[in-house]
């Protein structure tokens, strides 16, 4: 498989030929179920796989949900326009958990996605199609979305690189909203350099998204410094929630980082379990409001009823899957009178506390090193309850609540299954986390 860096050097004609080959390969590897349909191209340029919740003009965008079947995007997301401005294009749509709610990519209306490293295991979620395709050799690179870990965790489970940008770094215009105060679009790639190239292309202020930030100097991430020595925050105590293999991968990586010349600083963060509680209250509260628009009147599928109310009920009951309905109910519950103060407001306070806690950590460290997930990719149907699945997000959701950038990269294997670790940076310090990840990737490659 070509890297993105290599693909960008091909002549337009060679690139078109390559895309034909790639489409063929996607068919041959249809067992992965990483694409929602046979791929097509949005124009000339290097092909980038797009998660099925990012609008590509004229394409049917469904967020892996029956309710959006038949919805044709009337415009491009800003991230897609930016691909076109940087000699890239959208090439195919990636399967995902319905409305990006999930950690396993088992809840799509197109069926579950498989992990290319071992097809009995999930690829992670919700950007499971993106990570499965990149790791499985059927996509050069992909754009996913990360609300609570959906780029980093599937990258970790499948063994590729995934970056969640600082909130406001990348425009959300044209990304179907799950939880607007947490969502970010970001790259899933074969290596750190490609990740920097793709992030570079999609970053920047967009007048169409008022939460996208205007930065003084125009930043580019193309020049990476693998030798940059940093003070790295180590969260040993947090490891108690991780499996033995993940713990070992973490400590082994620490030794390598130290040998590379980084300084390790031991740090403590309050109980990560509060992160999960705050995240699942705030994200569902925002989701129930964002998903209220899918009622059969304007978007996608409509089921007829004897009156408007019945039309709504039938469309939403049939159109949404079980996990999405669970979250809509949870969101309405935490916002309802009497519970609003007890849950929603309390979770907002917890969020402010988490922001503060990360600020404190960054007084002492330049980046923080943490696991991405407490275990390797589980088998299908491994979570007995939804809560069990939610708990597997323990290391990722805090980063979204604090709006920080984080990059996940593979550092070890347990049998056939990869283990990823993440570098978390202060807001808008993507350069720093890319540099340190690039250095670690280089050493790991040398060591084979
Ligand atoms: N697994 C988390 C959830 O289910 C994160 C999803 C995401 O980042 N889109 O909400």
């Amino acid at each position: 498989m070509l890297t993105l860096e290599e693909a960008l050097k091909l002549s337009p004609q060679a690139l078109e030929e390559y895309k034909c080959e790639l489409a063929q390969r996607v068919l041959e590897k249809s067992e992965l179920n990483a694409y929602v349909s046979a791929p097509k191209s949005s124009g000339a340029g290097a092909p980038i796989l797009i998660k099925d919740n990012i609008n590509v003009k004229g394409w049917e965008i469904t967020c892996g949900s029956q309710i959006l079947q038949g919805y044709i995007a009337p415009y491009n997301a800003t991230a897609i326009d930016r691909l076109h401005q940087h000699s890239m294009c959208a090439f195919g749509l990636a399967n995902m958990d319905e409305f990006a709610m999930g950690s396993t990519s088992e809840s799509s209306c197109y069926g579950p996605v498989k992990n290319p490293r071992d097809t009995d295991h999930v690829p992670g979620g919700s950007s499971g199609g993106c990570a499965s395709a990149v790791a499985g050799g059927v996509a050069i690179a992909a754009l996913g979305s990360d609300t609570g870990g959906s780029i980093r965790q599937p990258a970790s489970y499948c063994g590729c690189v995934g970056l969640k940008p600082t909130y406001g770094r990348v425009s959300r215009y044209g990304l179907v909203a799950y939880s607007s105060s947490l969502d970010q679009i970001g790259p899933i790639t074969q290596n750190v350099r490609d990740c920097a190239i793709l992030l570079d292309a999609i970053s920047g202020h967009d007048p169409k998204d008022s939460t996208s930030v205007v930065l003084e100097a125009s930043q580019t991430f193309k020049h990476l410094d693998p030798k940059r020595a940093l003070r790295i925050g180590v969260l040993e105590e947090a490891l108690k929630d991780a499996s033995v293999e993940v713990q070992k991968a973490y400590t082994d990586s620490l030794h390598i980082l130290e040998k590379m010349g980084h300084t390790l600083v031991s740090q403590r963060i309050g109980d990560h379990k509060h992160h999960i509680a705050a995240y699942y209250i705030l994200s569902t509260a925002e989701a129930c409001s964002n998903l209220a628009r899918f009622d059969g009147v304007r978007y996608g599928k409509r089921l007829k009823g004897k009156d408007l109310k019945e039309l709504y009920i039938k469309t939403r009951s049939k159109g949404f899957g079980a996990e999405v309905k669970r979250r809509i109910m949870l969101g309405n519950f935490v916002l309802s009178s009497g519970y609003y103060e007890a849950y929603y407001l309390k979770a907002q306070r917890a969020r402010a506390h988490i922001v503060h806690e990360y600020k404190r950590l960054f007084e002492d460290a330049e980046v923080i090193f943490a696991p991405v997930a407490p275990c390797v990719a589980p088998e299908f149907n491994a979570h007995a309850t939804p809560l069990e699945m939610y708990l597997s997000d323990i290391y990722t959701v805090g980063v979204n609540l604090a709006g920080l950038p984080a990059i996940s990269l593979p550092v070890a294997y347990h049998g056939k299954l990869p283990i990823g670790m993440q570098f978390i940076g202060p807001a808008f310090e993507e350069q720093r986390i890319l540099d340190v990840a690039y250095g670690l990737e280089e050493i790991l490659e040398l060591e084979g």
Side-chain angles (χ1 to χ4, degrees):
M1 170 66 45
L2 283 182
T3 64
L4 178 57
E5 196 177 15
E6 289 162 350
L8 286 168
K9 289 183 188 141
L10 290 183
S11 70
Q13 199 200 331
L15 210 44
E16 290 317 304
E17 280 164 19
Y18 189 77
K19 283 176 180 169
C20 293
E21 263 173 51
L22 187 56
Q24 185 58 36
R25 220 179 301 166
V26 173
L27 270 180
E28 284 159 16
K29 285 221 177 170
S30 59
E31 185 210 3
L32 294 177
N33 205 21
Y35 284 67
V36 303
S37 53
K40 56 182 177 181
S41 188
S42 69
I48 307 294
L49 174 62
I50 307 297
K51 189 173 177 180
D52 187 26
N53 61 350
I54 301 174
N55 279 280
V56 183
K57 190 173 176 178
W59 291 16
E60 185 189 37
I61 303 297
T62 68
C63 301
S65 181
Q66 275 194 47
I67 207 163
L68 274 175
Q69 277 174 348
Y71 165 71
I72 306 295
Y75 60 91
N76 271 341
T78 298
I80 302 296
D81 282 338
R82 287 194 190 258
L83 291 185
H84 291 148
Q85 290 156 14
H86 289 83
S87 312
M88 299 175 218
C89 66
F91 189 79
L93 291 172
N95 204 353
M96 57 183 277
D97 273 308
E98 186 179 5
F99 282 103
M101 297 174 181
S103 316
T104 58
S105 297
E106 292 174 293
S107 71
S108 164
C109 69
Y110 304 103
V113 184
K114 291 185 178 167
N115 189 319
R117 309 285 176 186
D118 182 341
T119 50
D120 291 334
H121 292 250
V122 302
S126 64
S127 313
C130 296
S132 170
V134 171
V138 284
I140 289 180
L143 286 185
S145 68
D146 193 313
T147 304
S150 280
I151 287 176
R152 290 161 287 153
Q153 186 255 28
S156 165
Y157 281 1
C158 293
C160 35
V161 174
L163 186 142
K164 182 254 164 208
T166 308
Y167 187 78
R169 166 76 73 186
V170 177
S171 170
R172 290 179 297 112
Y173 181 75
L175 167 69
V176 179
Y178 159 16
S179 178
S180 315
S181 77
L182 303 164
D183 300 336
Q184 272 291 289
I185 296 174
I188 296 184
T189 56
Q190 301 169 59
N191 59 48
V192 177
R193 281 197 57 74
D194 279 1
C195 187
I197 294 170
L198 195 46
L199 176 67
D200 209 38
I202 60 172
S203 293
H205 174 64
D206 174 14
K208 294 189 194 122
D209 171 7
S210 59
T211 62
S212 80
V213 168
V214 190
L215 293 171
E216 280 165 28
S218 75
Q219 254 185 316
T220 158
F221 307 108
K222 286 199 186 101
H223 305 287
L224 300 179
D225 177 5
K227 299 256 172 327
R228 182 171 176 184
L230 294 169
R231 284 175 69 78
I232 300 179
V234 176
L235 302 171
E236 255 142 13
E237 218 179 308
L239 284 183
K240 67 179 189 313
D241 296 304
S243 66
V244 181
E245 321 62 272
V246 172
Q247 293 187 3
K248 182 173 180 318
Y250 187 80
T251 35
D252 288 351
S253 310
L254 288 182
H255 290 135
I256 298 175
L257 289 168
E258 212 165 19
K259 267 202 276 171
M260 287 167 65
H262 298 292
T263 309
L264 306 184
V265 220
S266 191
Q267 292 189 313
R268 288 193 54 186
I269 190 160
D271 196 343
H272 274 81
K273 293 223 170 70
H274 301 319
H275 294 193
I276 304 264
Y279 170 81
Y280 276 95
I281 291 170
L282 297 174
S283 64
T284 54
E286 292 184 24
C288 76
S289 158
N290 275 326
L291 270 56
R293 75 193 66 170
F294 304 118
D295 56 10
V297 176
R298 288 180 62 191
Y299 303 97
K301 201 176 187 138
R302 174 183 306 169
L303 269 92
K304 290 205 178 73
K306 66 176 185 308
D307 53 22
L308 187 63
K309 192 169 168 193
E310 196 180 281
L311 179 149
Y312 287 160
I313 293 172
K314 279 195 173 165
T315 303
R316 286 172 68 87
S317 307
K318 184 89 185 45
F320 288 132
E323 183 58 29
V324 175
K325 282 191 257 192
R326 180 177 300 117
R327 298 204 190 190
I328 291 173
M329 283 191 281
L330 194 57
N332 278 304
F333 174 74
V334 299
L335 288 173
S336 58
S337 125
Y339 297 105
Y340 180 86
E341 286 79 7
Y343 295 106
Y344 184 76
L345 273 188
K346 204 170 181 181
Q348 287 289 21
R349 277 193 218 111
R351 183 176 189 174
H353 179 72
I354 292 164
V355 170
H356 195 76
E357 245 183 336
Y358 275 109
K359 275 214 177 101
R360 177 178 57 77
L361 296 182
F362 286 121
E363 280 169 10
D364 217 19
E366 294 168 282
V367 295
I368 296 165
F369 188 62
V372 176
C375 56
V376 294
E379 289 185 350
F380 288 93
N381 304 310
H383 298 300
T385 62
L387 187 62
E388 232 179 68
M389 181 179 78
Y390 302 166
L391 287 173
S392 73
D393 297 335
I394 190 153
Y395 296 121
T396 49
V397 294
V399 167
N400 300 73
L401 288 166
L404 304 174
I407 186 169
S408 157
L409 85 159
V411 298
Y413 276 83
H414 177 60
K416 288 190 264 179
L417 295 169
I419 300 175
M421 294 290 155
Q422 58 181 334
F423 289 103
I424 306 166
F428 300 104
E429 294 292 351
E430 276 85 349
Q431 183 70 53
R432 213 183 270 176
I433 57 172
L434 282 163
D435 283 345
V436 61
Y438 186 47
L440 181 58
E441 180 186 63
E442 228 177 45
I443 299 281
L444 290 170
E445 259 166 32
L446 284 177
E447 291 186 348

